[in-house]
Protein backbone atom coordinates (compact mmCIF):
# COMPACT_ATOMS: atom_id res chain seq x y z
CA UNK A 1 0.00 0.00 0.00
CA UNK A 2 1.45 3.33 -1.08
CA UNK A 3 0.02 5.07 1.99
CA UNK A 4 1.05 2.64 4.72
CA UNK A 5 3.31 4.34 7.26
CA UNK A 6 3.05 7.77 5.62
CA UNK A 7 2.52 10.81 7.85
CA UNK A 8 0.06 13.43 6.66
CA UNK A 9 -0.24 16.84 8.33
CA UNK A 10 -3.78 18.00 7.55
CA UNK A 11 -4.55 21.72 7.81
CA UNK A 12 -8.30 22.30 8.07
CA UNK A 13 -9.36 25.85 7.30
CA UNK A 14 -12.80 27.41 7.54
CA UNK A 15 -15.13 26.27 4.79
CA UNK A 16 -18.43 24.42 4.76
CA UNK A 17 -16.58 21.49 3.12
CA UNK A 18 -14.58 20.98 6.33
CA UNK A 19 -16.96 18.18 7.35
CA UNK A 20 -15.67 16.14 4.40
CA UNK A 21 -12.18 15.92 5.90
CA UNK A 22 -13.53 13.60 8.57
CA UNK A 23 -14.14 11.02 5.84
CA UNK A 24 -10.71 11.77 4.36
CA UNK A 25 -9.04 11.09 7.72
CA UNK A 26 -10.97 7.82 8.08
CA UNK A 27 -9.86 6.65 4.65
CA UNK A 28 -6.23 7.66 5.15
CA UNK A 29 -6.15 5.80 8.46
CA UNK A 30 -7.75 2.71 6.85
CA UNK A 31 -4.85 2.65 4.42
CA UNK A 32 -2.26 2.79 7.14
CA UNK A 33 -1.34 6.50 7.00
CA UNK A 34 -1.12 8.56 10.19
CA UNK A 35 -2.86 11.94 10.27
CA UNK A 36 -2.12 14.91 12.48
CA UNK A 37 -4.52 17.83 12.19
CA UNK A 38 -4.06 21.59 12.52
CA UNK A 39 -7.40 23.38 12.82
CA UNK A 40 -7.70 27.10 12.05
CA UNK A 41 -10.03 29.39 13.96
CA UNK A 42 -12.38 29.43 10.93
CA UNK A 43 -12.15 25.66 10.58
CA UNK A 44 -13.26 25.25 14.21
CA UNK A 45 -16.57 26.91 13.23
CA UNK A 46 -17.31 23.86 11.05
CA UNK A 47 -15.67 20.84 12.73
CA UNK A 48 -14.70 20.32 16.33
CA UNK A 49 -11.20 19.46 17.55
CA UNK A 50 -12.79 16.48 19.29
CA UNK A 51 -14.10 14.88 16.08
CA UNK A 52 -10.75 15.42 14.33
CA UNK A 53 -8.80 13.99 17.22
CA UNK A 54 -11.16 11.01 17.63
CA UNK A 55 -10.67 10.04 13.98
CA UNK A 56 -6.97 10.81 13.76
CA UNK A 57 -6.32 9.32 17.21
CA UNK A 58 -3.90 12.15 17.79
CA UNK A 59 -3.83 15.56 19.37
CA UNK A 60 -5.29 18.39 17.27
CA UNK A 61 -3.26 21.57 17.07
CA UNK A 62 -5.10 24.89 17.08
CA UNK A 63 -4.25 28.53 17.65
CA UNK A 64 -4.57 27.78 21.31
CA UNK A 65 -1.29 25.88 20.90
CA UNK A 66 0.09 26.51 24.36
CA UNK A 67 3.58 26.98 25.70
CA UNK A 68 3.41 23.43 27.03
CA UNK A 69 2.56 22.16 23.55
CA UNK A 70 5.35 24.28 22.11
CA UNK A 71 7.87 22.69 24.45
CA UNK A 72 6.59 19.18 23.59
CA UNK A 73 6.31 19.79 19.84
CA UNK A 74 7.55 23.10 18.44
CA UNK A 75 5.70 24.49 15.43
CA UNK A 76 8.82 24.00 13.30
CA UNK A 77 8.93 20.34 14.23
CA UNK A 78 5.18 20.05 13.61
CA UNK A 79 5.71 21.43 10.11
CA UNK A 80 8.51 18.99 9.32
CA UNK A 81 7.29 15.90 11.12
CA UNK A 82 5.19 14.83 8.13
CA UNK A 83 5.73 13.38 4.67
CA UNK A 84 3.05 15.59 3.10
CA UNK A 85 1.11 18.67 4.18
CA UNK A 86 -2.51 18.73 2.94
CA UNK A 87 -4.65 21.87 3.18
CA UNK A 88 -8.33 20.87 2.98
CA UNK A 89 -10.50 22.78 2.62
CA UNK A 90 -8.19 25.51 1.32
CA UNK A 91 -10.25 28.69 1.44
CA UNK A 92 -9.54 31.76 -0.70
CA UNK A 93 -8.24 33.38 2.49
CA UNK A 94 -5.68 30.73 3.43
CA UNK A 95 -4.50 30.48 -0.20
CA UNK A 96 -3.99 34.27 -0.21
CA UNK A 97 -2.08 34.15 3.07
CA UNK A 98 0.05 31.26 1.78
CA UNK A 99 0.78 33.15 -1.45
CA UNK A 100 1.77 36.26 0.54
CA UNK A 101 3.98 34.22 2.89
CA UNK A 102 2.12 35.32 5.97
CA UNK A 103 2.50 33.63 9.33
CA UNK A 104 -0.30 35.11 11.40
CA UNK A 105 -1.71 31.92 12.85
CA UNK A 106 -0.50 28.39 13.53
CA UNK A 107 -1.64 27.03 10.12
CA UNK A 108 0.16 29.68 8.03
CA UNK A 109 3.21 29.57 10.31
CA UNK A 110 3.45 25.82 9.75
CA UNK A 111 2.98 26.31 5.99
CA UNK A 112 5.74 28.89 5.87
CA UNK A 113 8.10 26.81 7.99
CA UNK A 114 7.59 23.46 6.27
CA UNK A 115 10.13 21.92 3.93
CA UNK A 116 7.65 19.21 2.90
CA UNK A 117 5.47 19.03 -0.26
CA UNK A 118 2.08 20.74 0.03
CA UNK A 119 -1.19 19.66 -1.59
CA UNK A 120 -4.21 22.00 -1.38
CA UNK A 121 -7.89 21.26 -2.02
CA UNK A 122 -9.45 24.66 -2.76
CA UNK A 123 -13.05 25.26 -1.69
CA UNK A 124 -14.90 28.54 -2.10
CA UNK A 125 -17.74 30.34 -3.80
CA UNK A 126 -17.50 30.37 -7.63
CA UNK A 127 -17.05 34.17 -7.83
CA UNK A 128 -14.24 34.03 -5.28
CA UNK A 129 -12.64 31.18 -7.26
CA UNK A 130 -12.87 33.13 -10.52
CA UNK A 131 -11.60 36.40 -9.01
CA UNK A 132 -8.26 37.43 -10.56
CA UNK A 133 -6.80 37.82 -7.06
CA UNK A 134 -7.48 34.16 -6.27
CA UNK A 135 -6.27 33.00 -9.68
CA UNK A 136 -3.02 35.03 -9.25
CA UNK A 137 -2.51 33.50 -5.82
CA UNK A 138 -3.05 30.00 -7.25
CA UNK A 139 -0.51 30.70 -10.03
CA UNK A 140 2.06 31.86 -7.50
CA UNK A 141 1.49 28.84 -5.33
CA UNK A 142 1.67 26.43 -8.26
CA UNK A 143 4.94 28.03 -9.41
CA UNK A 144 6.28 27.37 -5.92
CA UNK A 145 5.36 23.71 -6.25
CA UNK A 146 2.11 23.61 -4.29
CA UNK A 147 -0.13 21.05 -5.97
CA UNK A 148 -3.90 21.45 -6.23
CA UNK A 149 -6.66 18.87 -6.27
CA UNK A 150 -10.02 20.21 -7.50
CA UNK A 151 -12.12 22.21 -7.13
CA UNK A 152 -15.07 20.61 -8.90
CA UNK A 153 -18.04 22.28 -10.51
CA UNK A 154 -21.46 21.79 -8.97
CA UNK A 155 -24.19 23.32 -6.84
CA UNK A 156 -22.83 25.19 -3.81
CA UNK A 157 -23.98 25.78 -0.28
CA UNK A 158 -24.51 29.45 -1.23
CA UNK A 159 -27.13 28.47 -3.88
CA UNK A 160 -24.83 29.28 -6.78
CA UNK A 161 -23.46 26.87 -9.35
CA UNK A 162 -19.93 26.57 -10.72
CA UNK A 163 -16.32 25.79 -9.83
CA UNK A 164 -15.44 25.99 -6.18
CA UNK A 165 -16.74 22.77 -4.61
CA UNK A 166 -13.98 20.98 -2.76
CA UNK A 167 -12.84 17.72 -4.39
CA UNK A 168 -14.50 14.65 -2.83
CA UNK A 169 -12.55 12.76 -0.13
CA UNK A 170 -11.78 9.90 -2.54
CA UNK A 171 -10.34 12.35 -5.09
CA UNK A 172 -8.12 13.94 -2.44
CA UNK A 173 -7.14 10.46 -1.29
CA UNK A 174 -6.25 9.50 -4.89
CA UNK A 175 -4.12 12.66 -5.25
CA UNK A 176 -2.32 11.87 -1.97
CA UNK A 177 -1.82 8.30 -3.08
CA UNK A 178 -0.46 9.42 -6.48
CA UNK A 179 1.94 11.71 -4.64
CA UNK A 180 3.41 8.74 -2.78
CA UNK A 181 3.60 6.69 -5.97
CA UNK A 182 2.28 3.30 -6.88
CA UNK A 183 2.94 0.51 -4.41
CA UNK A 184 5.76 -1.82 -5.38
CA UNK A 185 4.83 -5.46 -5.93
CA UNK A 186 5.29 -8.48 -8.19
CA UNK A 187 3.70 -6.60 -11.12
CA UNK A 188 5.89 -3.49 -10.81
CA UNK A 189 7.12 -2.60 -14.30
CA UNK A 190 4.10 -4.25 -16.02
CA UNK A 191 1.33 -2.32 -17.73
CA UNK A 192 -2.26 -3.54 -17.44
CA UNK A 193 -5.47 -2.58 -19.21
CA UNK A 194 -8.87 -3.45 -17.72
CA UNK A 195 -12.32 -2.83 -19.23
CA UNK A 196 -15.28 -2.51 -16.89
CA UNK A 197 -18.98 -1.70 -16.66
CA UNK A 198 -21.67 -1.68 -19.32
CA UNK A 199 -21.70 0.35 -22.50
CA UNK A 200 -24.59 2.62 -23.42
CA UNK A 201 -25.58 2.61 -27.07
CA UNK A 202 -27.68 5.67 -27.92
CA UNK A 203 -30.97 5.34 -29.80
CA UNK A 204 -31.71 9.07 -29.78
CA UNK A 205 -30.59 11.93 -27.51
CA UNK A 206 -32.63 10.60 -24.55
CA UNK A 207 -32.69 6.80 -24.93
CA UNK A 208 -30.06 4.09 -25.04
CA UNK A 209 -29.52 0.32 -25.00
CA UNK A 210 -27.69 -0.91 -21.89
CA UNK A 211 -27.33 -3.90 -19.55
CA UNK A 212 -27.19 -4.56 -15.81
CA UNK A 213 -23.40 -4.57 -15.37
CA UNK A 214 -22.36 -2.53 -12.30
CA UNK A 215 -18.63 -2.36 -13.04
CA UNK A 216 -17.86 -3.75 -9.57
CA UNK A 217 -15.85 -6.72 -10.84
CA UNK A 218 -13.80 -4.82 -13.42
CA UNK A 219 -13.03 -2.01 -10.98
CA UNK A 220 -11.97 -4.54 -8.33
CA UNK A 221 -9.61 -6.21 -10.81
CA UNK A 222 -8.03 -2.88 -11.77
CA UNK A 223 -7.56 -2.00 -8.08
CA UNK A 224 -6.00 -5.42 -7.37
CA UNK A 225 -3.57 -5.22 -10.31
CA UNK A 226 -2.51 -1.71 -9.24
CA UNK A 227 -2.08 -2.92 -5.65
CA UNK A 228 0.44 -5.48 -6.96
CA UNK A 229 2.37 -2.69 -8.65
CA UNK A 230 1.03 -2.77 -12.24
CA UNK A 231 0.67 0.56 -14.02
CA UNK A 232 -3.04 0.16 -14.68
CA UNK A 233 -5.44 1.83 -17.12
CA UNK A 234 -9.14 1.23 -16.48
CA UNK A 235 -11.47 1.92 -19.40
CA UNK A 236 -14.97 2.03 -17.98
CA UNK A 237 -18.48 2.46 -19.25
CA UNK A 238 -21.01 4.40 -17.13
CA UNK A 239 -21.03 3.09 -13.53
CA UNK A 240 -21.58 4.36 -9.99
CA UNK A 241 -18.27 2.90 -8.84
CA UNK A 242 -15.58 5.27 -7.53
CA UNK A 243 -12.35 5.45 -9.52
CA UNK A 244 -9.95 2.92 -7.95
CA UNK A 245 -6.82 4.20 -6.24
CA UNK A 246 -3.55 4.31 -8.17
CA UNK A 247 -5.35 3.58 -11.44
CA UNK A 248 -5.64 5.81 -14.50
CA UNK A 249 -9.37 5.73 -15.24
CA UNK A 250 -10.79 6.61 -18.67
CA UNK A 251 -14.58 7.02 -18.79
CA UNK A 252 -16.36 6.13 -22.03
CA UNK A 253 -19.97 5.58 -23.03
CA UNK A 254 -20.22 3.38 -26.13
CA UNK A 255 -18.48 0.19 -27.30
CA UNK A 256 -16.80 2.09 -30.14
CA UNK A 257 -15.39 4.62 -27.66
CA UNK A 258 -14.26 1.77 -25.39
CA UNK A 259 -12.45 0.15 -28.31
CA UNK A 260 -10.68 3.44 -29.16
CA UNK A 261 -9.66 4.05 -25.54
CA UNK A 262 -8.26 0.49 -25.29
CA UNK A 263 -6.24 0.93 -28.50
CA UNK A 264 -4.89 4.22 -27.13
CA UNK A 265 -3.73 2.43 -23.95
CA UNK A 266 -1.58 -0.09 -25.86
CA UNK A 267 1.07 -1.45 -25.54
CA UNK A 268 0.27 -3.35 -22.33
CA UNK A 269 1.50 -6.65 -20.87
CA UNK A 270 -1.87 -7.64 -19.43
CA UNK A 271 -5.42 -7.03 -20.73
CA UNK A 272 -8.48 -8.05 -18.72
CA UNK A 273 -11.80 -7.50 -20.49
CA UNK A 274 -14.43 -7.47 -17.75
CA UNK A 275 -16.81 -5.01 -19.43
CA UNK A 276 -20.25 -6.16 -20.47
CA UNK A 277 -19.91 -4.58 -23.90
CA UNK A 278 -23.17 -4.23 -25.84
CA UNK A 279 -22.98 -6.62 -28.77
CA UNK A 280 -24.95 -4.28 -31.01
CA UNK A 281 -25.52 -0.58 -31.54
CA UNK A 282 -28.26 1.23 -33.38
CA UNK A 283 -27.24 1.62 -37.04
CA UNK A 284 -28.19 5.27 -37.27
CA UNK A 285 -28.84 7.14 -34.06
CA UNK A 286 -31.62 9.74 -34.38
CA UNK A 287 -30.40 13.33 -33.89
CA UNK A 288 -33.69 14.35 -32.29
CA UNK A 289 -35.92 12.52 -29.82
CA UNK A 290 -38.06 9.93 -31.66
CA UNK A 291 -41.69 10.98 -31.13
CA UNK A 292 -44.63 8.61 -30.81
CA UNK A 293 -46.43 10.37 -33.66
CA UNK A 294 -43.53 9.81 -36.13
CA UNK A 295 -45.25 7.10 -38.17
CA UNK A 296 -46.12 4.24 -35.81
CA UNK A 297 -43.80 1.99 -33.81
CA UNK A 298 -40.16 2.61 -34.71
CA UNK A 299 -37.98 -0.24 -35.95
CA UNK A 300 -34.39 -0.23 -34.72
CA UNK A 301 -31.79 -1.62 -37.09
CA UNK A 302 -28.79 -2.90 -35.14
CA UNK A 303 -25.21 -3.37 -36.30
CA UNK A 304 -22.58 -5.41 -34.51
CA UNK A 305 -20.12 -3.62 -32.24
CA UNK A 306 -16.38 -4.28 -32.46
CA UNK A 307 -15.32 -7.19 -30.24
CA UNK A 308 -12.66 -5.62 -28.01
CA UNK A 309 -11.47 -8.89 -26.45
CA UNK A 310 -11.12 -10.65 -29.83
CA UNK A 311 -9.39 -7.67 -31.34
CA UNK A 312 -6.88 -7.33 -28.46
CA UNK A 313 -6.21 -11.09 -28.67
CA UNK A 314 -5.57 -10.94 -32.40
CA UNK A 315 -2.99 -8.13 -32.21
CA UNK A 316 -1.08 -6.27 -33.52
CA UNK A 317 0.84 -5.59 -30.31
CA UNK A 318 -0.96 -8.43 -28.54
CA UNK A 319 -0.55 -8.23 -24.75
CA UNK A 320 1.42 -11.18 -23.31
CA UNK A 321 -1.66 -12.22 -21.33
CA UNK A 322 -5.26 -11.58 -22.41
CA UNK A 323 -8.07 -12.48 -20.00
CA UNK A 324 -11.75 -12.43 -20.92
CA UNK A 325 -14.98 -13.02 -19.08
CA UNK A 326 -17.81 -15.24 -20.13
CA UNK A 327 -21.19 -14.23 -18.83
CA UNK A 328 -23.36 -17.30 -19.28
CA UNK A 329 -26.76 -18.41 -18.08
CA UNK A 330 -26.37 -22.18 -18.76
CA UNK A 331 -23.59 -24.74 -19.51
CA UNK A 332 -21.20 -22.17 -18.05
CA UNK A 333 -17.89 -24.05 -18.43
CA UNK A 334 -18.63 -25.59 -21.84
CA UNK A 335 -19.70 -22.27 -23.35
CA UNK A 336 -16.74 -20.48 -21.76
CA UNK A 337 -14.25 -23.01 -23.17
CA UNK A 338 -15.64 -22.48 -26.64
CA UNK A 339 -15.57 -18.71 -26.10
CA UNK A 340 -11.87 -18.82 -25.10
CA UNK A 341 -10.99 -20.48 -28.38
CA UNK A 342 -13.29 -18.32 -30.47
CA UNK A 343 -11.99 -15.05 -29.02
CA UNK A 344 -8.33 -16.13 -29.00
CA UNK A 345 -7.67 -15.04 -25.39
CA UNK A 346 -5.45 -16.94 -22.92
CA UNK A 347 -7.74 -17.21 -19.90
CA UNK A 348 -11.45 -16.85 -19.36
CA UNK A 349 -13.22 -16.21 -16.09
CA UNK A 350 -16.63 -17.75 -16.53
CA UNK A 351 -19.55 -16.77 -14.36
CA UNK A 352 -23.19 -17.66 -14.17
CA UNK A 353 -25.21 -14.48 -14.57
CA UNK A 354 -28.67 -16.05 -14.36
CA UNK A 355 -30.92 -13.62 -12.45
CA UNK A 356 -31.19 -16.01 -9.45
CA UNK A 357 -27.40 -15.83 -8.83
CA UNK A 358 -27.49 -12.06 -8.19
CA UNK A 359 -24.08 -11.70 -9.90
CA UNK A 360 -24.98 -8.62 -11.94
CA UNK A 361 -24.93 -5.71 -9.52
CA UNK A 362 -24.22 -7.93 -6.47
CA UNK A 363 -21.07 -7.95 -4.35
CA UNK A 364 -20.28 -11.65 -4.66
CA UNK A 365 -19.18 -13.77 -7.60
CA UNK A 366 -18.57 -17.45 -8.27
CA UNK A 367 -16.23 -18.03 -11.18
CA UNK A 368 -14.31 -20.71 -13.03
CA UNK A 369 -10.85 -19.86 -14.34
CA UNK A 370 -10.42 -21.55 -17.70
CA UNK A 371 -7.00 -21.85 -19.28
CA UNK A 372 -5.71 -23.86 -22.24
CA UNK A 373 -4.64 -26.65 -19.86
CA UNK A 374 -7.70 -27.03 -17.65
CA UNK A 375 -10.01 -25.18 -15.34
CA UNK A 376 -10.29 -24.25 -11.64
CA UNK A 377 -13.64 -23.73 -9.91
CA UNK A 378 -13.26 -20.92 -7.36
CA UNK A 379 -15.56 -20.85 -4.34
CA UNK A 380 -18.05 -18.00 -4.00
CA UNK A 381 -16.21 -14.89 -2.83
CA UNK A 382 -16.56 -11.13 -2.95
CA UNK A 383 -15.78 -9.37 -6.21
CA UNK A 384 -12.83 -7.71 -4.43
CA UNK A 385 -11.47 -11.19 -3.56
CA UNK A 386 -11.99 -12.42 -7.13
CA UNK A 387 -9.97 -9.40 -8.26
CA UNK A 388 -7.17 -10.15 -5.79
CA UNK A 389 -7.07 -13.85 -6.65
CA UNK A 390 -6.97 -13.10 -10.38
CA UNK A 391 -4.23 -10.48 -9.91
CA UNK A 392 -2.17 -13.00 -7.89
CA UNK A 393 -2.64 -15.66 -10.58
CA UNK A 394 -1.52 -13.14 -13.21
CA UNK A 395 1.54 -12.19 -11.13
CA UNK A 396 2.44 -15.88 -10.74
CA UNK A 397 2.11 -16.50 -14.46
CA UNK A 398 4.58 -13.69 -15.19
CA UNK A 399 6.99 -14.91 -12.52
CA UNK A 400 6.81 -18.42 -13.95
CA UNK A 401 7.13 -17.37 -17.58
CA UNK A 402 9.98 -14.84 -17.36
CA UNK A 403 8.96 -12.16 -19.81
CA UNK A 404 5.92 -13.86 -21.32
CA UNK A 405 2.85 -15.34 -19.65
CA UNK A 406 -0.06 -17.77 -19.90
N1 LIG B 1 -16.42 -8.50 -25.19
C1 LIG B 1 -15.74 -7.47 -25.79
N2 LIG B 1 -16.33 -6.77 -26.80
C2 LIG B 1 -17.57 -7.09 -27.23
C3 LIG B 1 -18.27 -8.16 -26.62
C4 LIG B 1 -17.68 -8.84 -25.59
O1 LIG B 1 -14.61 -7.17 -25.40
N3 LIG B 1 -18.10 -6.40 -28.22
C5 LIG B 1 -15.74 -9.26 -24.15
C6 LIG B 1 -16.29 -9.11 -22.75
O2 LIG B 1 -15.64 -8.05 -22.07
C7 LIG B 1 -15.95 -10.45 -22.14
C8 LIG B 1 -16.03 -11.41 -23.31
O3 LIG B 1 -15.91 -10.61 -24.48
O4 LIG B 1 -14.63 -10.49 -21.68
C9 LIG B 1 -17.26 -12.25 -23.42
O5 LIG B 1 -18.42 -11.48 -23.30
P1 LIG B 1 -19.84 -12.19 -23.37
O6 LIG B 1 -20.89 -11.15 -23.32
O7 LIG B 1 -19.90 -13.33 -22.41
O8 LIG B 1 -19.76 -12.87 -24.79
P2 LIG B 1 -20.28 -12.46 -26.18
O9 LIG B 1 -19.15 -11.98 -27.02
O10 LIG B 1 -21.43 -11.54 -26.06
O11 LIG B 1 -20.73 -13.88 -26.75
P3 LIG B 1 -22.15 -14.63 -26.65
O12 LIG B 1 -23.14 -13.70 -27.29
O13 LIG B 1 -21.91 -15.86 -27.42
O14 LIG B 1 -22.40 -14.90 -25.20
Amino acid sequence: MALAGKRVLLIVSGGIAAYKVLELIRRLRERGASVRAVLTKGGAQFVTPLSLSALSEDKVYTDLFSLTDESEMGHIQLSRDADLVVVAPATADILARMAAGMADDLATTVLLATDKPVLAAPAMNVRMWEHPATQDNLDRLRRRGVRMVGPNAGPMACNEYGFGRMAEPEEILAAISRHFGRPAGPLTGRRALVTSGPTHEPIDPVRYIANHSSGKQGHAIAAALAALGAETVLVTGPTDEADPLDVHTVAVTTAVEMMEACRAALPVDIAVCAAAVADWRVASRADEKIKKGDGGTPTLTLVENPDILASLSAGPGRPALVVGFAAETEQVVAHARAKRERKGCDWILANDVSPETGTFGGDANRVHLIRADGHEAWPEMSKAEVGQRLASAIARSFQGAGDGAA
Side-chain angles (χ1 to χ4, degrees):
M1 293 286 280
L3 291 173
K6 298 291 188 252
R7 296 161 309 165
V8 174
L9 180 67
L10 178 65
I11 295 182
V12 183
S13 74
I16 187 81
Y19 74 93
K20 290 190 192 171
V21 303
L22 300 176
E23 177 68 9
L24 175 64
I25 297 174
R26 196 178 63 75
R27 294 193 180 206
L28 283 165
R29 301 270 296 138
E30 262 172 21
R31 285 164 177 77
S34 67
V35 182
R36 177 165 282 163
V38 170
L39 182 61
T40 68
K41 217 162 146 190
Q45 303 292 318
F46 296 93
V47 281
T48 64
L50 190 60
S51 46
L52 290 174
S53 105
L55 282 164
S56 64
E57 293 182 80
D58 201 345
K59 184 178 158 48
V60 172
Y61 295 84
T62 65
D63 280 329
L64 302 172
F65 201 52
S66 68
L67 280 177
T68 335
D69 292 334
E70 187 67 37
S71 63
E72 281 170 12
M73 157 81 77
H75 63 273
I76 303 290
Q77 192 192 339
L78 183 63
S79 74
R80 310 234 168 123
D81 220 12
D83 299 303
L84 176 70
V85 181
V86 176
V87 189
T91 58
D93 176 68
I94 200 166
L95 290 168
R97 288 188 293 138
M98 284 164 74
M102 288 169 71
D104 56 353
D105 64 1
L106 179 63
T108 47
T109 306
V110 162
L111 283 160
L112 197 60
T114 191
D115 56 357
K116 293 296 170 357
V118 178
L119 173 73
M124 66 198 75
N125 163 273
V126 57
R127 305 271 166 263
M128 293 168 81
W129 170 255
E130 286 169 355
H131 197 287
T134 303
Q135 291 302 317
D136 282 352
N137 289 333
L138 288 162
D139 282 347
R140 280 160 80 183
L141 291 169
R142 283 196 195 100
R143 277 199 305 274
R144 279 183 217 149
V146 174
R147 288 184 314 119
M148 305 289 162
V149 49
N152 296 335
M156 316 196 127
C158 46
N159 287 332
E160 287 189 80
Y161 186 93
F163 273 97
R165 275 171 71 97
M166 188 173 84
E168 294 303 320
E170 65 263 26
E171 293 173 286
I172 303 175
L173 187 68
I176 296 173
S177 184
R178 275 197 300 277
H179 168 80
F180 289 119
R182 264 190 310 282
L187 289 175
T188 297
R190 304 282 179 194
R191 272 177 61 83
L193 165 67
V194 180
T195 68
S196 184
T199 62
H200 287 183
E201 308 297 332
I203 297 171
D204 67 13
V206 297
R207 305 181 179 95
Y208 55 83
I209 300 173
N211 58 63
H212 291 300
S213 169
S214 63
K216 284 181 182 166
Q217 188 59 82
H219 279 56
I221 293 168
L225 289 167
L228 294 190
E231 185 186 337
T232 307
V233 179
L234 172 67
V235 179
T236 175
T239 77
D240 290 334
E241 290 296 292
D243 293 352
L245 280 184
D246 303 321
V247 167
H248 177 59
T249 302
V250 182
V252 297
T253 306
T254 65
V256 169
E257 288 169 8
M258 188 172 272
M259 179 79 192
E260 280 165 12
C262 288
R263 286 220 174 102
L266 296 177
V268 296
D269 303 290
I270 303 148
V272 181
C273 292
V277 184
D279 289 319
W280 302 280
R281 68 179 179 279
V282 177
S284 58
R285 167 205 161 147
D287 289 335
E288 305 298 339
K289 183 181 170 195
I290 303 171
K291 306 289 282 179
K292 275 204 289 292
D294 288 350
T297 312
T299 304
L300 298 177
T301 306
L302 302 178
V303 290
E304 203 166 321
N305 269 328
D307 191 314
I308 300 167
L309 176 61
S311 142
L312 289 172
S313 302
R318 187 190 193 281
L321 180 67
V322 183
V323 183
F325 267 77
E328 307 292 347
T329 54
E330 36 101 41
Q331 296 187 55
V332 175
V333 173
H335 281 320
R337 279 210 177 101
K339 201 167 274 180
R340 195 189 76 82
E341 304 224 329
R342 203 167 63 240
K343 302 232 181 188
C345 58
D346 303 299
W347 301 355
I348 277 233
L349 279 180
N351 55 359
D352 187 344
V353 292
S354 322
E356 62 276 14
T357 63
T359 300
F360 263 145
D363 288 319
N365 209 351
R366 187 182 196 113
V367 301
H368 298 258
L369 174 61
I370 293 162
R371 312 184 203 217
D373 56 358
H375 96 269
E376 288 170 23
W378 293 0
E380 179 170 308
M381 51 183 111
S382 70
K383 289 183 177 175
E385 285 164 335
V386 170
Q388 285 152 11
R389 189 157 168 172
L390 176 64
S392 302
I394 291 173
R396 276 198 306 280
S397 84
F398 276 96
Q399 275 155 2
D403 241 354

